[in-house]
Amino acid sequence: MAAPNIVNVATITGITTGASLTTSTSTSLVMNPASSGKVFKINSVIVANVDGSSAADVTLKYYDGSGTFNIAKVVTVPAKTTLVAVDKNAAIYLEEGCQLRGGASANSDLEAIITYEEIS
């Protein structure tokens, strides 16, 4: 796993992706492949509860190839609300081989929007 030098950047590509969270907290939301020569800067993770009446819990994890570390562990998102779990003031860098993973306490109750920059 390398940490690419981001001083001499050739390109920065802004990306937004979405995911419906399942009960598996090992689901990869954003993955930076090994030997990509890139670093991903996670700017925001917004989690929306799309259930009309029930709260659901979200878990977000950082995986670095050797283990997983909690970003948000079993945080309750009330029905019909959103949670900003990560914002640009607390950005997370995904080096080569690293992942952002997530899951929910109930299938299809939570959706995540992730914005990040692919830096090479």
Side-chain angles (χ1 to χ4, degrees):
M1 169 177 22
N5 182 347
I6 59 174
V7 173
N8 298 316
V9 173
T11 61
I12 300 174
T13 305
I15 300 171
T16 301
T17 188
S20 181
L21 301 179
T22 68
T23 55
S24 171
T25 57
S26 63
T27 300
S28 179
L29 303 175
V30 178
M31 179 180 67
N32 186 359
S35 303
S36 69
K38 300 174 183 178
V39 63
F40 295 175
K41 181 182 177 192
I42 307 295
N43 292 314
S44 69
V45 179
I46 302 167
V47 180
N49 186 334
V50 296
D51 189 291
S53 59
S54 299
D57 299 328
V58 63
T59 297
L60 295 173
K61 297 182 177 204
Y62 168 80
Y63 172 75
D64 71 357
S66 65
T68 57
F69 305 92
N70 289 296
I71 298 166
K73 185 173 181 173
V74 193
V75 176
T76 300
V77 183
K80 300 188 281 184
T81 65
T82 59
L83 168 74
V84 178
V86 175
D87 72 12
K88 66 180 181 175
N89 294 313
I92 298 167
Y93 287 96
L94 297 183
E95 297 174 28
E96 294 174 331
C98 295
Q99 298 177 26
L100 174 67
R101 295 178 174 178
S105 60
N107 279 328
S108 303
D109 276 7
L110 301 179
E111 296 176 348
I113 298 293
I114 302 118
T115 63
Y116 65 99
E117 296 169 358
E118 183 179 280
I119 304 168
S120 59

